[in-house]
């Protein structure tokens, strides 16, 4: 997610930065994507709306890449179920803007992680389930609150195909944060009937049945039917775009590398598509509202910025990149298709850098649970500041000094970066404190060892998840120094280390 704060720091004197942070007006953002050539699962969906037929065979070897070790979240244990390892979501979505109704046929291939008499997914209460089938057989279920419980025995490590048919008016869910740039999460409908989603740390369940916790990565296919002139946009690559015979447009999107549910995006609106390409050959597409053409030009810095980031982090980890604009105040590193609000800061060059860095830090390698969101935001913030310094022809220290000055207050306000207040998700403490920490590590290790580690870490867990112990141990082993006290001081202490 993005942080609104840094651009203010660049434009305003320090007093303004301090006042903003202390008044709790700090706002933040994030985002990411990975590599080519991964073949789509065989038998990928036909796009036959409402067919409900299994899109992908359970034994398709392409699904192996999506096997995860799901855990219960320590910060938000009410969301997600470690009994389910989702492998592939096929989401067939039909949007009716006049009635604000979403009709969905979801086909989920999952692995049971334990023997159980029942299993459950997160699924928003406003949506009404009309049928649940497990491996083709009707299954009984309860849908109480946001829990969809399927009463059918499952066997550890067996794969199953679950079909859920549903319809209703999706409602976003409350965000566990005091940030000012968002207060709800998930499926959001604008006045004109266009829609978008942002769902960190959860909220995907407001529009499909999902194991909504970051340790469970899965592959995705989307089929989105929208009335003209609207078009549906989602993660991955656009496989087809066809006119229906009832004044609709049907788009099919395929994401070929596994993603956590908070990194999924869908938006439906009257979009203009602009195609671009980075120097390194990554195809980049911009999806901007036809009614606001100025944004099409504004976000086209992404391809050039990607070249700068690849010099720091190595080749972009996914097969395509997109920028999708929506009526939000924030920005998200949704995998391969970054979602940005149609406002000045969210579409600024530093925020686009930030969200692209997340494709490596957050998307390619993802925290096991929300305790370690600092792993995403610290490096995205640090490289954002490095880009801003390069762009301004100024030393990065000039930017860092401002954040060092406010860091103790951020830590007091929301807690240590890796042990924060659950009601204060995504505050400045998970951005600026770890950004300062990475700079201190750079000074300790020297340029070569620091940057080679920064490049190597995402590859060490490509398409996977990592914990606090994983990353801190990895840096210690790689450098031959015991860095555990260094990381603990920065990430777990109530008091700020000296920087
Ligand atoms: Zn971020």
């Amino acid at each position: 997610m993005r942080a609104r704060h840094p651009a203010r720091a660049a434009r305003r004197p320090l007093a303004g930065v301090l006042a903003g942070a202390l008044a709790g007006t700090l706002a933040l953002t994030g985002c990411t994507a990975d590599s080519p050539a991964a073949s789509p699962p065989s038998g990928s969906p036909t796009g036959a709306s409402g067919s409900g037929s299994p899109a992908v065979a359970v034994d398709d070897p392409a699904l192996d890449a999506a096997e995860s070790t799901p855990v219960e979240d320590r910060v938000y244990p009410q969301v997600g179920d470690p009994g389910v390892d989702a492998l592939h979501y096929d989401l067939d979505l039909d949007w009716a803007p006049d009635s604000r109704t979403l009709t969905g046929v979801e086909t989920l291939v999952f692995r049971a992680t334990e023997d159980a008499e029942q299993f459950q997914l997160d699924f928003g209460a406003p949506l009404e389930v009309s049928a649940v089938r497990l491996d083709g057989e009707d299954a009984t279920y309860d849908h109480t609150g946001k829990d969809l419980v399927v009463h059918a025995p499952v066997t550890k490590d067996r794969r199953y195909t679950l079909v859920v048919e549903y319809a209703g008016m999706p409602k976003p869910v409350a965000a566990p944060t005091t940030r000012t740039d968002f207060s709800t999460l998930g499926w959001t409908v604008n006045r004109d009937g266009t829609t978008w989603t942002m769902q960190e740390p959860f909220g995907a369940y407001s529009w499909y049945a999902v194991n909504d916790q970051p340790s469970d990565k899965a592959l995705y296919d989307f089929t989105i039917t929208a009335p003209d002139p609207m078009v549906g946009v989602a993660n991955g690559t656009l496989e087809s775009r066809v006119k229906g015979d009832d004044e609709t447009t049907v788009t099919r999107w395929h994401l070929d590398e596994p993603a956590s549910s908070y990194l999924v995006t869908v938006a439906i609106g009257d979009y203009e598509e602009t195609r671009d390409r980075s120097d390194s050959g990554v195809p980049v597409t911009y999806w901007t509202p036809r009614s606001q053409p100025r944004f099409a030009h504004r976000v086209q810095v992404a391809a050039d910025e990607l070249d700068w980031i690849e010099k720091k982090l190595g080749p972009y980890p996914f097969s395509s990149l997109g920028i999708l604009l929506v009526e939000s105040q924030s920005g998200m590193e949704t995998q391969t298709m970054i979602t940005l609000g149609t406002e000045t800061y969210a579409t600024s060059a530093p925020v686009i850098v930030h969200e692209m860095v997340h494709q490596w830090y957050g998307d390619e390698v993802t925290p096991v649970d929300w305790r370690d969101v600092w792993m995403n935001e610290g490096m995205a913030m640090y490289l954002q500041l490095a880009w801003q310094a390069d762009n301004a022809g100024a030393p990065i220290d000039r930017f860092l000094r401002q954040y060092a000055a406010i860091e103790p207050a951020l830590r007091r306000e929301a807690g240590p970066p890796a042990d924060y207040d659950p009601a204060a998700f995504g505050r400045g403490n998970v951005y600026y404190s770890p950004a300062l920490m990475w700079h201190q590590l750079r000074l300790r290790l020297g340029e070569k060892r620091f940057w080679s580690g920064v490049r190597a870490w995402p590859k060490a867990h490509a398409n996977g998840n990592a914990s606090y112990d994983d990353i801190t141990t990895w840096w210690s082993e790689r450098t031959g120094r015991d860095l555990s006290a260094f990381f603990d001081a920065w990430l777990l202490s109530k008091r700020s280390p000296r920087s």
Side-chain angles (χ1 to χ4, degrees), residues 200-462:
E200 186 185 20
F202 50 73
Y205 70 79
S206 65
W207 56 280
Y208 67 103
V210 55
N211 189 22
D212 204 0
Q213 201 280 336
S215 62
D216 187 4
K217 292 190 172 186
L219 300 164
Y220 280 81
D221 281 279
F222 307 84
T223 303
I224 305 170
T225 303
D228 297 335
M230 293 188 190
V231 60
V233 182
N235 306 76
T237 52
L238 179 59
E239 303 280 288
S240 66
R241 175 178 180 160
V242 297
K243 288 274 183 196
D245 50 13
D246 49 356
E247 299 185 331
T248 61
T249 295
V250 181
T251 48
R252 292 182 53 219
W253 295 83
H254 174 66
L255 183 65
D256 62 2
E257 298 195 51
S260 302
S261 54
Y262 80 95
L263 296 170
V264 172
T265 188
V266 162
I268 300 170
D270 183 7
Y271 282 107
E272 182 171 13
E273 178 190 11
T274 308
R275 297 185 186 186
D276 201 352
R277 189 171 286 270
S278 72
D279 279 357
S280 59
V282 176
V284 182
T285 54
Y286 307 101
W287 294 85
T288 51
R290 200 176 301 280
S291 59
Q292 300 183 78
R294 71 187 179 95
F295 285 112
H297 178 70
R298 184 168 170 78
V299 298
Q300 281 188 34
V301 295
D304 285 345
E305 291 182 342
L306 187 61
D307 294 326
W308 182 93
I309 299 168
E310 287 184 313
K311 289 191 179 77
K312 298 284 187 206
L313 296 180
Y316 177 70
F318 303 118
S319 52
S320 65
L321 175 65
I323 306 267
L324 167 65
L325 267 64
V326 303
E327 275 190 41
S328 161
Q329 300 295 308
S330 195
M332 261 306 292
E333 63 266 29
T334 37
Q335 190 161 315
T336 72
M337 182 63 75
I338 289 164
T339 312
L340 301 177
T342 47
E343 56 103 56
T344 303
Y345 182 62
T347 54
S348 67
V351 167
I352 294 172
V353 168
H354 179 108
E355 306 303 349
M356 287 197 291
V357 169
H358 273 308
Q359 303 299 308
W360 286 259
Y361 277 82
D363 297 13
E364 184 176 24
V365 54
T366 307
V368 167
D369 81 1
W370 288 113
R371 278 277 296 268
D372 294 315
V373 66
W374 66 269
M375 284 168 47
N376 300 356
E377 301 303 348
M379 189 58 75
M381 199 67 243
Y382 187 58
L383 281 171
Q384 176 186 330
L385 294 176
W387 181 88
Q388 288 178 263
D390 261 20
N391 197 47
I396 192 170
D397 304 69
R398 201 179 85 188
F399 294 81
L400 291 168
R401 271 199 296 275
Q402 297 182 323
Y403 299 115
I406 61 168
E407 198 272 343
L410 300 175
R411 196 179 285 261
R412 273 199 303 278
E413 183 183 80
D419 190 19
Y420 59 86
D421 174 2
F425 179 78
R427 297 305 306 255
N429 59 330
V430 300
Y431 289 76
Y432 303 108
S433 305
L436 292 163
M437 176 191 79
W438 288 124
H439 190 64
Q440 289 302 311
L441 189 66
R442 179 179 170 184
L443 297 177
R444 281 191 180 207
L445 298 179
E447 293 297 290
K448 194 171 170 188
R449 279 204 294 177
F450 175 74
W451 288 111
S452 78
V454 169
R455 286 167 72 106
W457 166 252
K459 289 189 197 65
H461 292 272

